[in-house]
Amino acid sequence: MKKIFILLSIFLSLCVLTNSCIYEKVTDGFEEETDPPVVPPVIPPEATKKNYYLDFVTGEIEGVDTYAVPEIDDSPIPIMWWRASDEIGVFMKGDDGTELSSNKKYELPSAAAGKRVFTLKDSVTTSLQQALCYGYTPYKTSVSDFILSNTLNSVQDQSVDSKKMDAALNDNVLMIAPASPYFKLSQTGTLQFENVFAFLRFQVTQSSSFASFNFQKITGVKLYVANENEPEIPSDDYALAGDYRIDVSKAPSMPGYTGPEFTSGVNSITATVTGGNNISTSTVSSPYVWFVVNPLEIKPNERLFSFVKTTSGFVIMSAHVLPSSLKANNVYTFNIEARESNTVSDQVVVYYSDQEASNCYIIPRAGVCQIPLKTITGADLRGDTVEWLWASKEGGSKNFDIKELIDPASLDYNEAEGYVRFRVGTNLGKYTKGNVILALKDASNEIVWTWHIWITDQPEDVEYDKSGGNPNIKFLDRNIGALSADTLSSPAIDTYGFVYQWGRKDPFIGGNGVIPDEGSYKLSVANEHTKLNPKGTWGVGVKEWDQADRSTGTIEESVKYPMRFIYNGTPLFKDDDPADWLSVSQSGLWSDERKTDYDPCPSGYKVPGMHALELDKLSVLYRPWQSYDDYVKTGGFPPAIWFYNAGNSNRYWEYYNDNTKVSTMWPTAGMRQGRDGRNEKGDVVIGAQLKYSGTDRSIGKGYYWTSTPHEIAGPGASYRIEMYNTRLYSPDTYGPNADAYSVRCVKIDE
């Protein structure tokens, strides 16, 4: 008997040394672990093998019943169900703090796929009766002392073509099971998993009226949080993704849990997509995109901004008002409708083509603009750089940042491909109305050419009857440079627009609705209401007919110095005597028959001609020097077509067609004086002076150029329309070419 006891003692001693006789790993149908064997602690001889069962339960997300991935995936898989091959890490501690299982990996069998609850059975050998469990998924090997290090991807690829949709979501899902209550090892313990991150679901539909958006697919979505007053600057206060660490022993439901600690965070997150369904007007068939993001506490003045890019280069921009926080284990749904008001082209607004070359480009929305390096008639323009020269903003303020209109940093001069590219407004679709003059300069910093960028809502074409002419003519609803056609309620400076010396392509600031200081009112309005590039300067120059040096007053000078008003210094006797800004009058600068290189109108329009059955036919029945009131006083009937100074307005005239007012107005913006000296009355006439601008207290005059030189007056004079008080002057009147008048562009017949 003594021998048997000695042998048994030796045997037990050997077992304790080798750790192989009492502790038995039980797989219960699972494959044998391939990880290096873990050396367990020394277990007292009285320890026994105990089975335990764990219910792995996928947490329910508040208010969400199903969790299908976007329909752009061919075979949607619920993202919150267990999948076969999911790997779970488990920590187990005994009730005395003994570590029973450290980051043990469980790989779910195929039987777990598609289930929310799944039970696993395992066993340990311990003398303890109770255990405490923590869990997390997906399993990671880089866990020590319950600290998990991982990365939430800033680019979540959801491309159908590469079948990455499922991976994009599940690879970014991190679920933690809160510490379960102590349970007896011979009974079942429950690990209820909750998501560490929040889910954002963006579905995109299309407005039925936005036909140009048809057949678009999502190619990507970008998100970030920003201050509502600085929407283009992602805030660094928010880490939407990046490298993080988390204590898995503290779960979302436990006190003291603050979410993941980001060691290297990024403030924006992007989904990339290829393939999938077309965006449609129906929520049933339109695609949607998921994001996994870090929980965030949102400040009251912050917004989530989303940018959805599509196959044809459109960008749908939206600002979303968030709740006070994006909570973990919650899904937030955003429905985005592509409308013309929130969608811009990420390609170009003014497309490159020889036919669309112009000196003026209407930009009615924010976006990237591209204009050709060509004159209207197709001559190539070459220089060294492009920069902005001067700018004006709606309301007349000069205290603004040029970035409100265009982004100077975006100016891209590409001589090889023959274009100038720049961005108007923000990439959120917002823009400020205004005007910008861009200058192409050579290596000596001399101006080679300029373009007028007219940033306004799209002007309408207004049809005018030509008294039997066929077809009728169409004018823009506003003067060149005007930022509004609403003359009744808009500031005068927004409706008056620019004035032009006859034959020049570059504008000058016209009236502003303020009574001028006669005698010193040269370019003060321009200086008060425009922002100048540091190199830009408003100025005046004189041209005298009897000068021996004819270097001034040339078309070349007008191009080289677009901000110089060139007036005529020869003494004159009558206000409307011919007077040119050119040393030698030059025909063809503006033309009745065609659009010239110096025509200031936007593409598709031109300066109207007097004898092209345009302006003269507007008043064909209007007797010279006779007002509408004259008709009434004499008991006569007004003509079918007429201009009328309704209510003796000081700021605008209305146009009637068949006694029906047409929805457009012609403001009395005044003119700039084109000569210097004294008139027949002895009045001092100042070159470049602004005169006759209509105000609320002062009756103004409306002067509008035609492209037609006057046959009788001779060189230096061209036809004009003049509106003053209650009279529309005869369309046979003319003005000196040195004067600067308004221009109302007429649509070119197609």
Side-chain angles (χ1 to χ4, degrees), residues 3 42 143 306 327 410-411 430 495 522 575 619 679 699:
K3 292 182 179 179
V42 176
V143 176
S306 66
K327 297 179 180 179
S410 69
L411 280 168
K430 296 182 180 180
T495 62
K522 285 190 176 182
D575 281 348
S619 54
N679 62 12
I699 294 175

mmCIF file of all heavy atoms in Angstrom, residues 3 42 143 306 327 410-411 430 495 522 575 619 679 699:
data_model
loop_
_atom_site.group_PDB
_atom_site.id
_atom_site.type_symbol
_atom_site.label_atom_id
_atom_site.label_comp_id
_atom_site.label_asym_id
_atom_site.label_seq_id
_atom_site.Cartn_x
_atom_site.Cartn_y
_atom_site.Cartn_z
ATOM 1 N N LYS A 3 3.853 1.523 -1.183
ATOM 2 C CA LYS A 3 4.441 1.676 -2.514
ATOM 3 C C LYS A 3 3.454 2.339 -3.476
ATOM 4 O O LYS A 3 3.816 3.170 -4.296
ATOM 5 C CB LYS A 3 4.886 0.316 -3.065
ATOM 6 C CG LYS A 3 6.062 -0.284 -2.301
ATOM 7 C CD LYS A 3 6.456 -1.600 -2.932
ATOM 8 C CE LYS A 3 7.652 -2.241 -2.207
ATOM 9 N NZ LYS A 3 8.046 -3.535 -2.785
ATOM 10 N N VAL A 42 -1.090 27.653 -12.664
ATOM 11 C CA VAL A 42 -1.098 26.406 -11.890
ATOM 12 C C VAL A 42 -2.433 26.276 -11.175
ATOM 13 O O VAL A 42 -2.876 27.178 -10.469
ATOM 14 C CB VAL A 42 0.056 26.391 -10.866
ATOM 15 C CG1 VAL A 42 -0.022 25.137 -10.007
ATOM 16 C CG2 VAL A 42 1.392 26.471 -11.595
ATOM 17 N N VAL A 143 -4.322 42.392 -28.754
ATOM 18 C CA VAL A 143 -5.029 42.792 -27.544
ATOM 19 C C VAL A 143 -4.167 42.429 -26.350
ATOM 20 O O VAL A 143 -3.687 41.304 -26.224
ATOM 21 C CB VAL A 143 -6.400 42.093 -27.437
ATOM 22 C CG1 VAL A 143 -7.080 42.455 -26.128
ATOM 23 C CG2 VAL A 143 -7.269 42.480 -28.623
ATOM 24 N N SER A 306 -22.667 66.679 -46.670
ATOM 25 C CA SER A 306 -22.460 65.507 -47.523
ATOM 26 C C SER A 306 -22.307 65.956 -48.973
ATOM 27 O O SER A 306 -22.934 66.919 -49.412
ATOM 28 C CB SER A 306 -23.635 64.528 -47.411
ATOM 29 O OG SER A 306 -24.818 65.092 -47.942
ATOM 30 N N LYS A 327 -25.054 58.783 -31.608
ATOM 31 C CA LYS A 327 -24.811 57.798 -30.561
ATOM 32 C C LYS A 327 -24.373 56.463 -31.144
ATOM 33 O O LYS A 327 -24.776 56.084 -32.247
ATOM 34 C CB LYS A 327 -26.078 57.609 -29.729
ATOM 35 C CG LYS A 327 -26.514 58.862 -28.993
ATOM 36 C CD LYS A 327 -27.796 58.619 -28.203
ATOM 37 C CE LYS A 327 -28.230 59.869 -27.463
ATOM 38 N NZ LYS A 327 -29.491 59.651 -26.711
ATOM 39 N N SER A 410 -7.909 78.933 -57.628
ATOM 40 C CA SER A 410 -8.371 77.946 -58.609
ATOM 41 C C SER A 410 -8.087 78.369 -60.044
ATOM 42 O O SER A 410 -8.339 77.598 -60.970
ATOM 43 C CB SER A 410 -9.877 77.716 -58.441
ATOM 44 O OG SER A 410 -10.621 78.864 -58.847
ATOM 45 N N LEU A 411 -7.605 79.587 -60.251
ATOM 46 C CA LEU A 411 -7.327 80.052 -61.610
ATOM 47 C C LEU A 411 -6.255 79.174 -62.253
ATOM 48 O O LEU A 411 -5.129 79.082 -61.765
ATOM 49 C CB LEU A 411 -6.866 81.511 -61.584
ATOM 50 C CG LEU A 411 -7.966 82.565 -61.470
ATOM 51 C CD1 LEU A 411 -7.368 83.925 -61.171
ATOM 52 C CD2 LEU A 411 -8.796 82.615 -62.743
ATOM 53 N N LYS A 430 -23.153 77.193 -53.138
ATOM 54 C CA LYS A 430 -23.479 78.571 -52.809
ATOM 55 C C LYS A 430 -22.580 79.511 -53.600
ATOM 56 O O LYS A 430 -21.414 79.242 -53.822
ATOM 57 C CB LYS A 430 -23.294 78.822 -51.311
ATOM 58 C CG LYS A 430 -24.230 78.012 -50.428
ATOM 59 C CD LYS A 430 -24.018 78.341 -48.960
ATOM 60 C CE LYS A 430 -24.960 77.536 -48.082
ATOM 61 N NZ LYS A 430 -24.770 77.850 -46.641
ATOM 62 N N THR A 495 -29.440 96.901 -60.445
ATOM 63 C CA THR A 495 -30.270 96.823 -61.653
ATOM 64 C C THR A 495 -29.720 97.677 -62.797
ATOM 65 O O THR A 495 -30.054 97.442 -63.947
ATOM 66 C CB THR A 495 -31.709 97.278 -61.348
ATOM 67 O OG1 THR A 495 -31.697 98.650 -60.930
ATOM 68 C CG2 THR A 495 -32.324 96.436 -60.248
ATOM 69 N N LYS A 522 -16.226 111.699 -61.335
ATOM 70 C CA LYS A 522 -15.649 110.939 -62.429
ATOM 71 C C LYS A 522 -15.800 109.440 -62.166
ATOM 72 O O LYS A 522 -16.831 108.855 -62.449
ATOM 73 C CB LYS A 522 -14.191 111.326 -62.640
ATOM 74 C CG LYS A 522 -14.007 112.682 -63.324
ATOM 75 C CD LYS A 522 -12.568 112.902 -63.720
ATOM 76 C CE LYS A 522 -12.404 114.198 -64.492
ATOM 77 N NZ LYS A 522 -11.004 114.397 -64.921
ATOM 78 N N ASP A 575 -24.091 118.869 -76.814
ATOM 79 C CA ASP A 575 -23.887 117.623 -76.080
ATOM 80 C C ASP A 575 -23.840 116.415 -76.999
ATOM 81 O O ASP A 575 -23.147 115.430 -76.720
ATOM 82 C CB ASP A 575 -25.011 117.429 -75.046
ATOM 83 C CG ASP A 575 -24.769 118.272 -73.808
ATOM 84 O OD1 ASP A 575 -23.656 118.803 -73.670
ATOM 85 O OD2 ASP A 575 -25.702 118.401 -72.994
ATOM 86 N N SER A 619 -40.362 101.077 -81.380
ATOM 87 C CA SER A 619 -41.116 102.324 -81.206
ATOM 88 C C SER A 619 -41.591 102.879 -82.543
ATOM 89 O O SER A 619 -41.682 104.069 -82.738
ATOM 90 C CB SER A 619 -40.250 103.363 -80.488
ATOM 91 O OG SER A 619 -39.037 103.536 -81.179
ATOM 92 N N ASN A 679 -20.028 123.028 -73.004
ATOM 93 C CA ASN A 679 -21.013 122.889 -74.071
ATOM 94 C C ASN A 679 -21.485 124.261 -74.527
ATOM 95 O O ASN A 679 -20.957 125.293 -74.104
ATOM 96 C CB ASN A 679 -22.178 122.003 -73.623
ATOM 97 C CG ASN A 679 -22.931 122.602 -72.443
ATOM 98 O OD1 ASN A 679 -22.734 123.768 -72.081
ATOM 99 N ND2 ASN A 679 -23.787 121.802 -71.836
ATOM 100 N N ILE A 699 -35.075 112.678 -61.467
ATOM 101 C CA ILE A 699 -35.420 111.994 -62.707
ATOM 102 C C ILE A 699 -34.144 111.683 -63.486
ATOM 103 O O ILE A 699 -33.275 112.538 -63.666
ATOM 104 C CB ILE A 699 -36.348 112.868 -63.560
ATOM 105 C CG1 ILE A 699 -37.689 113.047 -62.836
ATOM 106 C CG2 ILE A 699 -36.570 112.243 -64.932
ATOM 107 C CD1 ILE A 699 -38.626 113.989 -63.542
#
